[in-house]
Amino acid sequence: MSTMTAIDPKATVLPLLVGSAWPGAAEARAHVNALPVPGIKTEAWKYTRVGKLFKDAYVAPNGEANAMLPERLPFDVTRVVFINGHFRADLCDELKADKGIVIDSLKHHLSHGPVKAHYGQVAPIGDRLFTAMNTAAPTDGLIILATKGTKTSKPIHVLHITADGKQLIQPRDLFMLHEGAEVEVIVEYVAAPFDSAQGGPQFSFVNSVRESVVGEGAKLTIHLLQNEANGPAHIGLDGVNIGAKGRFTIDTTTLEGSLVRNDLNVSLAGPEAHAELNGVYVLNGLTHCDNHTYIGHDVPDCTSDELYKGIIAEKGTGVFNGKVYVKQDAQRTRAYQSNANILQGDDARVFTKPELEIYADDVKCSHGCTIGRLDEKGLFYLRSRGVSEAEARRMLSHAFMIDVLERITNEDWRKHLAGLINVKLEAL
């Protein structure tokens, strides 16, 4: 009588998670062996099927790959380039222009005190398999260290390019802002054009982790753009710790990608800390985008504001799960959360679940979600004024998400982003 041996789906990635010299790598690999692949019975992953990511074997990322750089942004930035997760100093701008601010490959600073103090602390592994995978063998990463009172003179544009196919790419970033520092970062993910003669679109797997420590009175702004046409699956985690009177703002825009999952865990750890989370996703084809956010109000007198809006067409799928957790001692909390979605077509789907968990009594919190279609009266009004149906739909769609874009304080980036979104809306 023969017996069948169970096949571990993680066997396709385990061979790439060996021999890493990064801190905690050996312990992380043990976690990878112990933790299950999330399935439909895992509440936080029930709408995002990740088992398929482990079906085929991956190869180590090729940092020497040739990839055509996209045009520079139409405003002044400090560009930092990663190809297949590897830091490419030869393609970067001058990174030492701002005194007191370190911008470099994280791999070069693993023995430094600030890195030792914070690496792996803001985004601990816990029960998250993908964090364990990243910690076991990061590809490379970016360190930004801003000393007390320093400020970036222009945004840092971190450009991640995925080229070739079937790679396991694991970026690992650490941003540390000391007291009163101010840093603005644009993180853009793009995929190099594929050659149809070489097998069609790439099917790499990008698994990123970024840890951010915002010191007292410091301000960190991150603009995240995911625009990976015919590109890899992308699962990312942002872990953020905000000190007293610190401010953290992130706007996440997802326009292209096969399977996209954005986890965002924010801890308001000091009095009068503030977090603002904004998101826009415009999905079509078979694109799947899942935004999971957690904001922990751990101490009194903190505020948070969260606004996500999405337009889903064709067979696209959107997922939003936002949780605000208010601890018992976190009195005088002010927290607002909203998610709104427009479906275009009978096959488009969205799953949304805003959550509040409150243990303090002196709070002011609200949350809500909406799912609907474009305003038929507004569409009829525009059509009656001679506007084509396609243009009318684009105008109404843009108006739907304009309040999210208006929260972006960098006017140059806001205009650039609006242009990209309009191009995507025209394709729906």
Side-chain angles (χ1 to χ4, degrees), residues 336-372:
Y336 306 96
Q337 180 190 98
S338 178
N339 173 235
N341 301 273
I342 286 179
L343 299 180
Q344 295 188 12
D346 295 335
D347 295 324
R349 299 185 302 166
V350 67
F351 304 92
T352 179
K353 184 183 178 184
E355 298 180 75
L356 288 175
E357 191 168 342
I358 302 172
Y359 295 96
D361 51 19
D362 183 6
V363 302
K364 187 176 181 181
C365 302
S366 67
H367 71 305
C369 66
T370 61
I371 302 173

Side-chain angles (χ1 to χ4, degrees), residues 4-21:
M4 294 184 65
T5 302
I7 299 175
D8 182 359
K10 291 173 291 187
T12 58
V13 301
L14 283 170
L16 299 177
L17 307 182
V18 296
S20 173

Side-chain angles (χ1 to χ4, degrees), residues 73-75 223-226 251-255 280 398 401 404-405 408 410-424:
L73 293 175
F75 52 93
H223 311 288
L224 174 59
L225 173 60
Q226 296 165 321
D251 51 89
T252 302
T253 305
T254 306
L255 301 180
V280 166
H398 184 84
M401 57 184 58
V404 184
L405 295 176
I408 299 175
N410 184 322
E411 184 178 354
D412 293 324
W413 176 247
R414 185 171 68 245
K415 288 181 178 179
H416 179 70
L417 204 56
L420 295 177
I421 291 173
N422 281 335
V423 170
K424 184 62 185 285

